[in-house]
Amino acid sequence: MGAQPDNWFDFLIIGSGAAGCVLAARLSEDPSLRVGLVEAGGAATNPLIADPARWPALQGSDIDWAYRTVPQRGTANRVHDWPRGRVVGGSTALNAMAHVRGHPADFDRWVAEGCTGWGYRDLLPYFIRSETYGPGASEYHGDSGPLYLMRPSDPHPVTVAFMEAGQEIGAPAIDDHNGARLAGATLNTLTIRNGRRQTLADAYLTPALQRTNLQLHAECHAVALRLEGIRCRGVRLQAQGKNIELFAERGIILAAGTIGSPTLLLHSGIGPADELRTIGISARHDLPGVGRNLHDHLLAGGNVYRARRPVPASKYQHSESLMYIEAGGSSAAPEIVVACVVLPVTTEQFVPPPPGSAYTLMFGFTHPRSRGAVRLASADERVPPLIDPNYLAESYDRETYLAALEAAQAIGGAPALAGWRAEELLPGPAATGKAERLAFLQKVAFTHHHPVGTCRMGVDSRAVVDPNLAVRGLENLYVCDASVFPSITTGPVNAAVIALAERASDLLRGRRPLAPAR
Ligand SMILES: Cc1cc2nc3c(=O)[nH]c(=O)nc-3n(C[C@H](O)[C@H](O)[C@H](O)COP(=O)(O)OP(=O)(O)OC[C@H]3O[C@@H](n4cnc5c(N)ncnc54)[C@H](O)[C@@H]3O)c2cc1C
């Protein structure tokens, strides 16, 4: 590598979340590349991170950006909490650990929109490369990747009854979410190893940090990109009150997530020029799509049942089975999800019964059509952005949400759950008509924590990055995280972010991507 200044890299990655950890580890495999990784948060020292059952307690803690949405008309003007990890490991340090790749049709839709190379068959070798699947290798699973994946060996008895109830209403039993079929009854695959959460930093980054060509800059907040003409040269950071600049020759890669990446672009004058002007930022590069196309999965808390006997505590993370339900035949992606949670869960609108006395069937729809935006509230980078997911704006979303409530109630009322069910608490007998049921949904809607889409990949004029993840119209600048998803995948999105970053690392290193699966 020769003698180079400490602030000079080949690749500089902004954000050490799911995508950032994969990129840092894979790019630094090449000893000739000098790789820098910048993270606003600090080391993952909070002891609750490792305990799978304590994940809800991390929300609002010192490792959470603790974003809030603007009031949502579609959910009775409620403001929604949007936790995001601010720590080495990013949101994988506080997520719920479910690993679901998505449906093949999700990725094939990306290809149909011009994102060549990002179809399911293209990504399957990368899903496999990323994992060590506890039950062993197969045509769908790997046994030598950095991320260890387990299946619950001692599932909760309510979860077992839930899966039987699903079969009673017609859901097939399937092996796992990440095999030949996604829809059906199965246990979740979890990112837990030896009883402890495995963050993406544990899986990918920590082992790679032994390399001398990889440097982690934690507690450094990236505030603006340094542009010279159309070339991005580097990034300005704030670290303990000091300004620092780092530079990269072969690429600055934003992996700051669905909120962080567009926010950094906007603060750097890259985005809708007219909108930037109104808050006093002069546009360096007019890119109207930055921050747009925000969408997220909604869940509901929920269809809550009082139990006829004590509900034991979960041995895992309280939610051991997501059931995907198809509306349109097996080649289409499922439109509905019902999750079995062995605790009472609802929103601030209701008082939940005590833990151990009730269980919840959370439900949601998988392909929202409503689109919102991330915008800046101020040119001051300390002010959080305005987050508007525009929940339930589209009638398709409201109708599918109603259908999801119906599916949850059908499962909840099925014979297999009779031994646990004392009575339905929510929505309860009053919510019979469509208007009452919709009003109930507006009160119990909450995020499934899967925002995507704000730096959309595509080939049209409103796309932010091209299919090589390069920011359109600029040089030496890339985005690689959940923000580039053109549209959301059926399941929780973390697995797809990992596969995206795995393939991106090959493209950035100039390596031929793995051959698509047949
Ligand atoms: C509570 C919760 C539960 C979830 N449960 C699941 C689940 O069970 N399964 C699943 O698949 N997904 C789940 N998710 C979602 C999943 O974890 C995320 O979608 C995924 O981690 C996103 O990866 P990312 O790389 O895009 O962003 P992140 O992992 O969020 O990483 C972004 C990183 O960039 C850093 N950063 C941001 N801005 C800056 C800046 N200006 N300067 C420096 N650093 C910056 C952040 O601190 C963070 O470390 C959950 C998320 C949450 C919050």
Side-chain angles (χ1 to χ4, degrees):
M1 286 187 295
Q4 276 124 6
D6 280 350
N7 61 353
W8 181 96
F9 298 91
D10 290 294
F11 288 107
L12 199 47
I13 302 155
I14 312 299
S16 71
C21 288
V22 175
L23 289 165
R26 292 300 187 195
L27 292 175
S28 64
E29 279 173 356
D30 179 345
S32 73
L33 294 176
R34 201 169 136 80
V35 179
L37 175 63
V38 170
E39 169 56 47
T45 51
N46 186 326
L48 298 185
I49 293 172
D51 182 348
R54 301 302 302 278
W55 71 268
L58 292 164
Q59 294 174 34
S61 74
D62 57 338
I63 64 158
D64 183 6
W65 287 87
Y67 289 118
R68 307 200 80 202
T69 67
V70 299
Q72 292 296 290
R73 268 182 64 187
T75 65
N77 285 322
R78 290 169 51 228
V79 169
H80 297 253
D81 287 324
W82 269 28
R84 295 277 98 192
R86 183 185 176 129
V87 63
V88 174
S91 298
T92 71
L94 50 64
N95 73 11
M97 292 154 277
H99 193 82
V100 184
R101 294 172 180 173
H103 189 276
D106 298 332
F107 305 99
D108 296 341
R109 180 175 163 189
W110 296 1
V111 175
E113 289 170 11
C115 300
T116 307
W118 299 100
Y120 174 71
R121 294 278 149 198
D122 302 305
L123 288 174
L124 183 54
Y126 291 101
F127 283 118
I128 292 173
R129 180 168 99 177
S130 68
E131 71 178 32
T132 292
Y133 185 56
S138 69
E139 66 173 308
Y140 290 103
H141 289 293
D143 61 1
S144 49
L147 183 64
Y148 185 82
L149 300 175
M150 59 80 78
R151 311 290 306 288
S153 56
D154 186 11
H156 194 282
V158 173
T159 308
V160 173
F162 166 79
M163 292 190 296
E164 282 168 23
Q167 289 173 64
E168 285 173 348
I169 68 146
I174 55 167
D175 287 343
D176 76 296
H177 286 127
N178 303 315
R181 187 165 184 184
L182 174 57
T186 189
L187 290 169
N188 287 342
T189 299
L190 300 170
T191 51
I192 297 176
R193 184 168 202 181
N194 301 326
R196 293 166 65 86
R197 171 202 293 276
Q198 204 188 15
T199 70
L200 265 277
D202 299 330
Y204 279 85
L205 180 65
T206 305
L209 282 173
Q210 290 166 4
R211 300 174 189 149
T212 53
N213 63 329
L214 174 61
Q215 221 182 79
L216 170 65
H217 292 257
E219 297 183 49
C220 289
H221 187 175
V223 290
L225 298 165
R226 162 82 92 89
L227 290 180
E228 282 175 20
I230 61 165
R231 189 168 177 83
C232 184
R233 287 270 176 218
V235 62
R236 181 162 60 83
L237 311 173
Q238 274 172 5
Q240 281 135 20
K242 286 195 200 125
N243 278 323
I244 303 173
E245 278 201 297
L246 301 179
F247 301 91
E249 278 302 322
R250 288 184 56 178
I252 288 113
I253 310 160
L254 306 192
T258 295
I259 311 301
S261 288
T263 301
L264 183 53
L265 288 172
L266 293 168
H267 276 300
S268 308
I270 302 167
D274 44 353
E275 191 179 295
L276 288 172
R277 214 170 295 123
T278 60
I279 54 161
I281 295 180
S282 55
R284 304 290 304 273
H285 181 60
D286 186 15
L287 207 49
V290 175
R292 303 299 204 267
N293 190 43
L294 175 65
H295 55 296
D296 182 24
H297 285 147
L298 269 184
L299 269 187
N303 182 207
V304 183
Y305 294 85
R306 192 162 60 78
R308 56 170 68 241
R309 52 196 160 117
V311 179
S314 166
K315 296 194 170 100
Y316 303 95
Q317 34 61 287
H318 315 294
S319 169
E320 298 162 22
S321 178
L322 289 156
M323 195 183 304
Y324 289 92
I325 298 173
E326 282 161 354
S330 61
S331 65
E335 290 300 315
I336 287 171
V337 62
V338 181
C340 178
V341 178
V342 299
L343 292 171
V345 182
T346 185
T347 62
E348 78 289 348
Q349 302 284 313
F350 297 96
V351 179
S357 70
Y359 55 93
T360 309
L361 303 191
M362 288 186 184
F363 53 89
F365 51 102
T366 52
H367 298 94
R369 294 190 183 166
S370 306
R371 294 291 184 268
V374 170
R375 296 185 175 87
L376 295 186
S378 159
D380 182 343
E381 57 269 350
R382 291 166 302 185
V383 177
L386 300 170
I387 297 173
D388 180 6
N390 203 17
Y391 283 141
L392 298 179
E394 294 289 333
S395 69
Y396 171 86
D397 294 359
R398 298 190 294 274
E399 295 298 327
T400 319
Y401 211 11
L402 285 164
L405 168 57
E406 213 166 290
Q409 289 183 303
I411 297 168
L417 277 162
W420 288 99
R421 182 179 58 240
E423 63 169 328
E424 186 190 77
L425 296 174
L426 291 176
T432 45
K434 187 173 174 183
E436 289 87 12
R437 288 167 80 76
L438 205 48
F440 169 72
L441 291 179
Q442 292 178 331
K443 287 185 183 168
V444 294
F446 56 62
T447 174
H448 202 169
H449 307 294
H450 305 153
V452 300
T454 50
C455 297
R456 179 172 65 83
M457 167 168 50
V459 289
D460 57 288
S461 63
R462 291 187 75 86
V464 175
V465 296
D466 68 17
N468 289 321
L469 305 184
V471 174
R472 293 176 56 250
L474 294 177
E475 291 174 1
N476 212 36
L477 182 61
Y478 301 85
V479 185
C480 176
D481 56 27
S483 72
V484 306
F485 285 23
S487 50
I488 200 162
T489 52
T490 305
V493 296
N494 198 45
V497 173
I498 296 167
L500 173 98
E502 280 276 12
R503 186 170 186 276
S505 70
D506 278 349
L507 297 180
L508 288 158
R509 280 170 73 176
R511 295 207 306 189
R512 184 195 293 271
L514 297 177
R518 281 191 289 149

